[in-house]
Coordinates of all heavy atoms in Angstrom, one line a residue:
R216 N -5.6 -0.8 62.0 CA -5.0 -1.4 63.2 C -5.2 -0.5 64.4 O -5.3 -1.0 65.5 CB -3.5 -1.6 62.9 CG -2.8 -2.4 64.0 CD -1.3 -2.7 63.6 NE -1.3 -3.3 62.3 CZ -1.4 -4.6 62.0 NH1 -1.5 -5.5 63.0 NH2 -1.4 -5.0 60.8
D217 N -5.3 0.8 64.2 CA -5.7 1.6 65.4 C -7.1 1.2 65.8 O -7.4 1.0 67.0 CB -5.7 3.1 65.0 CG -6.7 3.9 65.9 OD1 -6.3 4.0 67.1 OD2 -7.8 4.3 65.5
G218 N -8.0 0.9 64.8 CA -9.3 0.4 65.1 C -9.2 -0.9 65.9 O -9.9 -1.0 66.9
K219 N -8.3 -1.7 65.5 CA -8.2 -3.0 66.3 C -7.8 -2.7 67.7 O -8.4 -3.3 68.6 CB -7.1 -3.8 65.6 CG -6.6 -5.0 66.5 CD -5.4 -5.7 65.8 CE -4.7 -6.6 66.8 NZ -3.6 -7.4 66.2
M220 N -6.9 -1.8 68.0 CA -6.5 -1.5 69.4 C -7.7 -0.9 70.2 O -7.9 -1.3 71.3 CB -5.3 -0.6 69.4 CG -4.1 -1.0 68.6 SD -3.5 -2.7 68.8 CE -2.8 -2.5 70.4
Q221 N -8.4 0.0 69.5 CA -9.5 0.6 70.2 C -10.6 -0.5 70.5 O -11.2 -0.5 71.6 CB -10.1 1.7 69.4 CG -9.1 2.8 69.0 CD -8.5 3.6 70.2 OE1 -9.1 3.5 71.3 NE2 -7.4 4.2 69.9
L222 N -10.9 -1.3 69.5 CA -11.9 -2.3 69.7 C -11.5 -3.3 70.8 O -12.3 -3.8 71.6 CB -12.2 -3.1 68.4 CG -12.9 -2.3 67.3 CD1 -13.0 -3.2 66.0 CD2 -14.3 -1.9 67.7
H223 N -10.2 -3.7 70.8 CA -9.7 -4.5 71.9 C -10.0 -3.9 73.3 O -10.4 -4.6 74.2 CB -8.2 -4.8 71.8 CG -8.0 -6.1 71.1 ND1 -8.1 -7.4 71.7 CD2 -7.6 -6.4 69.8 CE1 -7.8 -8.3 70.8 NE2 -7.5 -7.8 69.7
S224 N -9.7 -2.6 73.4 CA -9.9 -1.9 74.7 C -11.4 -1.9 75.1 O -11.7 -2.0 76.2 CB -9.3 -0.5 74.6 OG -8.0 -0.5 74.1
L225 N -12.2 -1.6 74.0 CA -13.6 -1.6 74.3 C -14.2 -2.9 74.5 O -15.3 -3.1 75.2 CB -14.4 -0.8 73.2 CG -14.0 0.6 73.0 CD1 -14.7 1.2 71.7 CD2 -14.5 1.5 74.2
A226 N -13.6 -4.0 74.0 CA -14.1 -5.3 74.2 C -13.9 -5.7 75.7 O -14.5 -6.7 76.1 CB -13.3 -6.3 73.3
Q227 N -13.1 -5.0 76.4 CA -12.8 -5.3 77.8 C -13.9 -4.6 78.7 O -14.0 -4.8 79.9 CB -11.5 -4.8 78.3 CG -10.3 -5.3 77.5 CD -10.1 -6.8 77.8 OE1 -10.5 -7.3 78.9 NE2 -9.4 -7.5 77.0
S228 N -14.7 -3.7 78.0 CA -15.6 -2.9 78.8 C -16.5 -3.6 79.7 O -17.0 -4.7 79.5 CB -16.5 -2.1 77.8 OG -17.3 -1.2 78.5
G229 N -16.8 -2.9 80.9 CA -17.8 -3.4 81.8 C -19.2 -3.4 81.3 O -20.1 -4.1 81.7
F230 N -19.4 -2.6 80.3 CA -20.7 -2.5 79.6 C -20.8 -3.7 78.6 O -20.2 -3.6 77.5 CB -21.0 -1.2 78.9 CG -22.3 -1.1 78.2 CD1 -23.4 -1.5 78.8 CD2 -22.3 -0.5 76.9 CE1 -24.7 -1.4 78.1 CE2 -23.5 -0.4 76.3 CZ -24.7 -0.8 76.9
D231 N -21.5 -4.8 79.0 CA -21.3 -6.0 78.3 C -21.8 -6.0 76.8 O -21.1 -6.6 76.0 CB -22.1 -7.1 79.1 CG -21.5 -8.5 78.8 OD1 -20.3 -8.6 78.8 OD2 -22.3 -9.5 78.6
P232 N -22.9 -5.3 76.5 CA -23.3 -5.3 75.1 C -22.2 -4.6 74.2 O -22.0 -5.1 73.1 CB -24.5 -4.4 75.1 CG -25.1 -4.6 76.5 CD -23.9 -4.7 77.4
L233 N -21.5 -3.7 74.7 CA -20.4 -3.0 74.0 C -19.2 -4.0 73.8 O -18.7 -4.2 72.7 CB -19.9 -1.8 74.7 CG -18.7 -1.1 74.0 CD1 -19.0 -0.6 72.6 CD2 -18.2 0.1 74.9
S234 N -18.9 -4.7 74.9 CA -17.9 -5.7 74.8 C -18.2 -6.8 73.8 O -17.3 -7.1 72.9 CB -17.7 -6.4 76.2 OG -17.0 -7.6 76.1
R235 N -19.4 -7.3 73.8 CA -19.8 -8.4 72.9 C -19.8 -7.9 71.4 O -19.4 -8.6 70.5 CB -21.1 -8.9 73.3 CG -21.1 -9.7 74.6 CD -22.5 -10.0 75.1 NE -23.2 -10.8 74.1 CZ -24.6 -10.8 74.0 NH1 -25.3 -10.2 74.9 NH2 -25.1 -11.6 73.1
T236 N -20.2 -6.7 71.2 CA -20.2 -6.1 69.9 C -18.8 -6.0 69.3 O -18.5 -6.4 68.2 CB -20.8 -4.7 69.9 OG1 -22.2 -4.8 70.4 CG2 -20.9 -4.0 68.6
C237 N -17.9 -5.5 70.2 CA -16.5 -5.2 69.7 C -15.8 -6.6 69.5 O -15.0 -6.7 68.5 CB -15.8 -4.4 70.7 SG -16.4 -2.7 70.7
R238 N -16.1 -7.5 70.3 CA -15.5 -8.8 70.1 C -15.8 -9.4 68.7 O -14.9 -10.0 68.1 CB -15.9 -9.8 71.2 CG -14.9 -9.8 72.4 CD -15.2 -10.9 73.4 NE -16.3 -10.4 74.3 CZ -17.2 -11.2 74.9 NH1 -17.2 -12.5 74.6 NH2 -18.1 -10.7 75.7
F239 N -17.1 -9.3 68.3 CA -17.4 -9.8 67.0 C -16.8 -9.0 65.9 O -16.3 -9.5 64.9 CB -18.9 -10.0 66.8 CG -19.1 -10.7 65.5 CD1 -18.7 -12.1 65.3 CD2 -19.6 -10.0 64.4 CE1 -18.9 -12.7 64.1 CE2 -19.8 -10.7 63.1 CZ -19.4 -12.0 63.0
M240 N -16.8 -7.7 66.1 CA -16.2 -6.8 65.0 C -14.7 -7.1 64.8 O -14.2 -7.1 63.6 CB -16.3 -5.3 65.5 CG -17.7 -4.8 65.4 SD -17.9 -3.2 66.3 CE -17.1 -2.1 65.2
L241 N -14.0 -7.5 65.8 CA -12.6 -7.9 65.7 C -12.4 -9.0 64.7 O -11.3 -9.1 64.0 CB -12.0 -8.2 67.1 CG -11.6 -6.9 67.9 CD1 -11.4 -7.3 69.3 CD2 -10.4 -6.2 67.3
T242 N -13.3 -10.0 64.7 CA -13.1 -11.1 63.7 C -13.1 -10.6 62.3 O -12.4 -11.1 61.4 CB -14.2 -12.2 63.9 OG1 -15.5 -11.6 63.7 CG2 -14.2 -12.8 65.3
E243 N -14.0 -9.6 62.0 CA -14.0 -9.0 60.7 C -12.8 -8.2 60.4 O -12.2 -8.1 59.3 CB -15.3 -8.2 60.5 CG -16.5 -9.0 60.5 CD -17.8 -8.2 60.6 OE1 -17.8 -7.3 61.5 OE2 -18.8 -8.5 59.9
E244 N -12.4 -7.4 61.4 CA -11.3 -6.5 61.3 C -10.0 -7.1 60.9 O -9.2 -6.6 60.2 CB -11.1 -5.7 62.6 CG -10.6 -4.3 62.5 CD -11.4 -3.4 61.7 OE1 -12.6 -3.2 62.0 OE2 -10.9 -2.9 60.7
A245 N -9.8 -8.4 61.3 CA -8.6 -9.1 61.0 C -8.4 -9.1 59.5 O -7.2 -9.0 59.0 CB -8.7 -10.5 61.5
H246 N -9.5 -9.3 58.7 CA -9.3 -9.4 57.3 C -8.9 -8.0 56.7 O -8.1 -8.0 55.7 CB -10.7 -9.8 56.6 CG -10.6 -9.7 55.1 ND1 -9.9 -10.6 54.3 CD2 -11.3 -8.9 54.2 CE1 -10.1 -10.3 53.1 NE2 -10.9 -9.3 53.0

Side-chain angles (χ1 to χ4, degrees):
R216 191 174 308 273
D217 157 70
K219 167 186 164 179
M220 306 311 286
Q221 304 299 340
L222 289 175
H223 264 285
S224 310
L225 294 173
Q227 302 289 342
S228 183
F230 179 45
D231 206 41
L233 175 61
S234 164
R235 293 170 56 201
T236 301
C237 292
R238 267 185 277 150
F239 186 69
M240 287 164 76
L241 280 164
T242 60
E243 292 166 314
E244 207 59 59
H246 174 68

